[in-house]
Amino acid sequence: MTKKVMAAGIGIVAVAAAVGGYFLFGGKQGKMGGGPQGAGGPGGMGGMAQEASVTVVKAGEPVTGDISLSTGLTGTVEAADVVYVYAKASGDVTAVHVKAGDIVQAGQILCEIDTEQVDSARNSLESARVNLTQAQNNLSRMQVLYQGGDLSDQEYEQYSNSVKSARLQYESAKMAYDRQVEYSTVTAPIGGRIESCDVEVYDRVNQSGQLCVIAGEGESRITFYVTQRMMKNIREGDEVEVAKNGETYKGQVSEISSMVDEASGLFKVKAELRDVEEIAIGSTVKLNLVTERAEGAMLVPVDALYYSGGDGYVYLYEDGTAKMTPVEVGLYDSEYAEILSGLTGKELVVSTWSSNLYEGAKIRLWGEEEDSREPSHTDSKEGRRIPEGA
């Protein structure tokens, strides 16, 4: 009899323990398991506790505006006007009047070359001068005979044509001589700064050999390369920010090539820079350029965005309740995100990020409560989830 009572007592204790465990673990599971909506979702005793608490949020309609995305690139600084000076004739350098870094004016003598062609051209010129003088003297003597009737028209015309031919030869020889003299004295075609001068006295230079490089005064430019996708969103006149030595300079896109560069496989872009004398020509600099843009886009604060499996969604305020709505997200920066689809623009989008939001959660608009303290249920911005691949 005693054993039966004890067995019954043990059975009652076991049932009581099972019931207690059900409520204990059932209540914990309801609070932590929110389903796909995340922590705080409805269900079990935790859901009842959540429904008793109202999250205070800020909400507003999407706005219309422009948004852009900048990309960091590298480029090379060049002079906007660069002239490469070449030798037009072979010879020995007899004088050099400039060095790298000098400022020169257009027409200023850079160096002098003793070209062998000068002597040859001078001899040809003297020979042509003698022939012209002789032809002119012969014509003068024949003119007396022609006027006296002792010379026919045909003969006189031959002497006259000889003078014309000799004059043409002389003018041609003089032009060749002047050209050779010009070649022996190399002058600056433009005013600017000598970037390089690689010749010295007694050097032997060949025809078409480079002598100097002159960078024109004033503006500089930066050359960089972009992908085809970037090129489609770049326009002439777009602003470029160039960073060098802790300073930032402004420029504008001036030229966009539509042909792929063979060496890089990219598209070449040039931008004009102003007031960058302190940046040496040939320097490599960092730059930022708008490579993607959206104009007249529907925008919402980035704090309004949530992500699940890479898909974006927002919460809407509807009669004191949160409604989860999937959206397609376009460009976004530190403040706003472009909404491509999912909203009409008339909804009240919750812009307060909070882990207490879920489908059907009770929410109250900021400013509708009696005291104006900050919402106690709002998490920090750092807790916001980031889309996969962003």
Side-chain angles (χ1 to χ4, degrees):
M1 184 65 179
T2 305
K3 293 183 180 180
K4 294 182 179 180
V5 173
M6 292 179 62
I10 294 173
I12 294 173
V13 172
V15 172
V19 174
Y22 172 81
F23 284 104
L24 175 62
F25 292 103
K28 184 176 181 180
Q29 182 180 0
K31 186 173 183 179
M32 296 186 64
Q37 290 83 5
M45 294 182 66
M48 296 175 59
Q50 179 67 34
E51 291 177 358
S53 176
V54 178
T55 302
V56 181
V57 298
K58 294 181 181 180
E61 293 183 357
V63 298
T64 301
D66 302 337
I67 190 170
S68 59
L69 177 63
S70 297
T71 303
L73 302 168
T74 58
T76 303
V77 177
E78 302 173 349
D81 190 8
V82 178
V83 174
Y84 296 85
V85 181
Y86 298 95
K88 296 182 179 180
S90 302
D92 298 325
V93 178
T94 58
V96 179
H97 302 286
V98 295
K99 63 181 182 300
D102 288 350
I103 303 299
V104 297
Q105 303 297 324
Q108 182 175 334
I109 297 176
L110 303 178
C111 60
E112 299 177 28
I113 302 174
D114 183 12
T115 64
E116 296 86 349
Q117 289 90 342
V118 173
D119 294 336
S120 177
R122 183 185 294 110
N123 293 335
S124 298
L125 177 62
E126 291 299 325
S127 177
R129 181 184 289 110
V130 170
N131 292 336
L132 175 60
T133 300
Q134 183 178 359
Q136 289 175 336
N137 291 337
N138 290 338
L139 179 62
S140 297
R141 288 194 298 268
M142 294 302 107
Q143 187 173 9
V144 175
L145 296 177
Y146 178 69
Q147 291 176 348
D150 296 329
L151 191 68
S152 65
D153 292 342
Q154 184 178 1
E155 292 175 325
Y156 180 76
E157 185 177 358
Q158 291 177 350
Y159 284 104
S160 179
N161 290 336
S162 296
V163 172
K164 294 178 181 179
S165 177
R167 180 175 291 108
L168 290 175
Q169 292 177 0
Y170 172 77
E171 292 176 352
S172 177
K174 186 176 186 305
M175 185 180 299
Y177 173 75
D178 292 341
R179 185 183 299 112
Q180 293 303 322
V181 171
E182 178 185 354
Y183 290 170
S184 65
T185 303
V186 181
T187 59
I190 64 170
R193 180 170 58 188
I194 302 294
E195 296 297 334
S196 68
C197 185
D198 299 327
V199 294
E200 297 180 357
V201 178
Y202 305 123
D203 282 352
R204 176 75 179 181
V205 296
N206 297 320
Q207 185 176 358
S208 300
Q210 182 176 307
L211 303 176
C212 300
V213 178
I214 304 176
E217 298 177 326
E219 298 180 353
S220 298
R221 69 186 177 194
I222 181 172
T223 299
F224 54 96
Y225 296 87
V226 299
T227 63
Q228 184 173 9
R229 177 182 176 184
M230 294 178 181
M231 185 197 68
K232 292 180 179 180
N233 293 286
I234 298 175
R235 308 167 184 170
E236 290 188 13
D238 282 355
E239 186 177 89
V240 176
E241 288 189 355
V242 177
K244 185 68 174 179
N245 300 327
E247 299 290 336
T248 302
Y249 307 90
K250 301 291 185 181
Q252 287 185 330
V253 174
S254 59
E255 183 178 336
I256 304 172
S257 176
S258 58
M259 182 180 296
V260 175
D261 180 73
E262 294 182 359
S264 63
L266 302 174
F267 295 86
K268 189 175 184 179
V269 181
K270 296 180 180 180
E272 301 295 331
L273 301 177
R274 297 180 177 85
D275 303 325
V276 289
E277 291 81 4
E278 59 271 24
I279 302 181
I281 301 299
S283 298
T284 299
V285 297
K286 296 181 179 179
L287 63 100
N288 284 315
L289 176 68
V290 174
T291 53
E292 293 187 64
R293 70 183 78 234
E295 299 177 349
M298 181 188 300
L299 306 177
V300 299
V302 292
D303 284 340
L305 290 176
Y306 294 76
Y307 291 91
S308 176
D311 298 325
Y313 62 93
V314 297
Y315 285 107
L316 306 181
Y317 175 85
E318 292 188 355
D319 298 328
T321 303
K323 178 183 178 181
M324 188 176 69
T325 302
V327 294
E328 182 182 0
V329 183
L331 300 180
Y332 60 90
D333 55 22
S334 60
E335 296 183 4
Y336 291 97
E338 176 191 14
I339 301 300
L340 300 176
S341 63
L343 298 178
T344 64
K346 300 300 182 180
E347 302 91 341
L348 287 179
V349 180
V350 176
S351 59
T352 301
W353 195 94
S354 174
S355 61
N356 294 320
L357 292 178
Y358 56 89
E359 176 69 22
K362 299 298 182 181
I363 56 177
R364 179 185 301 164
L365 292 180
W366 172 254
E368 291 184 353
E369 56 182 348
E370 294 181 359
D371 67 353
S372 58
R373 292 179 299 174
E374 289 290 337
S376 59
H377 299 293
T378 302
D379 291 350
S380 63
K381 181 179 179 180
E382 286 72 11
R384 181 163 52 88
R385 285 162 288 179
I386 304 300
E388 295 178 1

